[in-house]
Amino acid sequence: MATLSATNLAKAYKSRQVVRDVSLSVSTGQIVGLLGPNGSGKSTLFNIICGILKPNYGEVIINGVNVNEVPIYKRALDYGISLVPQHGGTFSGLSCIENLKAISEVVIENKNDRNYKIEEMISKFQLEPHANTKCLMLSGGTKKKVAIAMALMSNPKIVLMDEPFAFLDILTVRDLQKTITNLQTEDTKRCIIISDHSVRELLSVCDRAIILANKKIVAQGRPSEVIKNENAKIYFGDAFKIN
């Protein structure tokens, strides 16, 4: 069953078209990779799904409900959407545990439940050595783990990750890949959509891939299918292989 679907989405700023006639469907339990060159509309699509932007045309449907008029905070609390942004995602002047506490006070009513969830996230992401370190002082990979942990505090069912592998070394990327696949193993009712330019790293963790180019979807399917799609060569080129 589709947890999230979008139909004929379009967004323009005056005469500049950013997204044109984009339709997609993401089912429970899937990890979907969103790929495309700069300016193809990936971040705009994420912002429309989250409610940061309103489309000029089209619909965003969550669990069968049109949420076009639902504000961003209600999409998060009532419809289970959470975003791990490309940049930031943490309060740099707060420690790891203070970041998690700040989010817990917004999304979890019971204080005991908050403390339990914070401890769970600290353990899940192996953040014990960094619990009292200000995020400003953390490495890029650890900071990204804190941002993902913050995004999961509300037990979301739709998680959007915007370029989680950017600017990370290969060992950190592999660790983060394992973290992402483990998240899906732990909760098969969750779906994750990841946008990134690290093509091989993204294709190795996703069940389906969607290729955006020229503001629209040009190919989608299993990674092995997409890289063979003639329409996707506008992004991959002729010589690209997964291995």
Side-chain angles (χ1 to χ4, degrees):
M1 186 179 75
T3 298
L4 167 70
S5 60
T7 307
N8 305 123
L9 290 179
K11 182 66 179 178
Y13 299 99
K14 295 183 178 180
S15 61
R16 185 170 70 91
Q17 195 78 32
V18 183
V19 171
R20 179 175 64 247
D21 195 29
V22 169
S23 296
L24 57 87
S25 178
V26 182
S27 299
T28 297
Q30 286 187 328
I31 300 177
V32 174
L34 185 63
L35 292 160
N38 288 329
S40 59
K42 301 186 300 298
S43 293
T44 297
L45 183 58
F46 268 18
N47 289 337
I48 291 173
I49 292 171
C50 285
I52 296 171
L53 294 174
K54 281 190 176 183
N56 297 120
Y57 305 101
E59 298 178 330
V60 177
I61 308 293
I62 301 175
N63 293 328
V65 179
N66 184 325
V67 297
N68 277 25
E69 300 302 320
V70 177
I72 182 172
Y73 76 94
K74 286 188 71 67
R75 292 194 199 192
L77 295 177
D78 297 346
Y79 292 90
I81 291 185
S82 194
L83 172 67
V84 181
Q86 177 182 355
H87 302 293
T90 63
F91 302 107
S92 60
L94 298 182
S95 69
C96 168
I97 198 164
E98 286 170 341
N99 269 278
L100 295 174
K101 283 181 178 178
I103 297 301
S104 73
E105 290 174 2
V106 176
V107 300
I108 303 174
E109 290 186 9
N110 185 281
K111 186 175 180 179
N112 291 332
D113 291 343
R114 288 180 205 160
N115 293 333
Y116 175 81
K117 191 66 178 179
I118 290 168
E119 290 176 4
E120 179 189 349
M121 290 296 107
I122 292 287
S123 175
K124 183 189 297 290
F125 290 96
Q126 300 177 333
L127 294 170
E128 291 91 345
H130 314 287
N132 296 305
T133 304
K134 288 186 177 182
C135 283
L136 182 66
M137 306 301 294
L138 296 176
S139 67
T142 302
K143 194 179 298 182
K144 189 65 70 175
K145 284 186 176 183
V146 176
I148 296 173
M150 291 167 68
L152 294 176
M153 288 296 290
S154 60
N155 292 319
K157 294 307 176 187
I158 302 169
V159 180
L160 309 178
M161 298 187 183
D162 197 356
E163 299 201 24
F165 305 132
F167 310 114
L168 301 180
D169 63 82
I170 187 63
L171 291 178
T172 304
V173 167
R174 287 175 181 168
D175 186 39
L176 192 53
Q177 287 175 304
K178 186 183 297 183
T179 297
I180 291 170
T181 54
N182 286 344
L183 290 176
Q184 210 61 346
T185 303
E186 292 164 6
D187 187 350
T188 57
K189 294 182 179 179
R190 178 187 293 131
C191 64
I192 299 174
I193 309 174
I194 307 171
S195 172
D196 210 284
H197 288 296
S198 301
V199 179
R200 287 180 174 81
E201 288 76 9
L202 181 52
L203 291 179
S204 71
V205 299
C206 67
D207 305 301
R208 287 177 55 233
I210 296 173
I211 312 299
L212 277 172
N214 299 322
K215 287 78 177 177
K216 62 182 181 180
I217 292 175
V218 296
Q220 57 182 311
R222 292 193 298 271
S224 58
E225 297 170 340
V226 166
I227 63 172
K228 297 175 184 177
N229 190 307
E230 288 294 319
N231 293 330
K233 287 185 178 180
I234 192 173
Y235 178 63
F236 291 122
D238 293 320
F240 179 80
K241 296 180 180 179
I242 292 180
N243 297 317

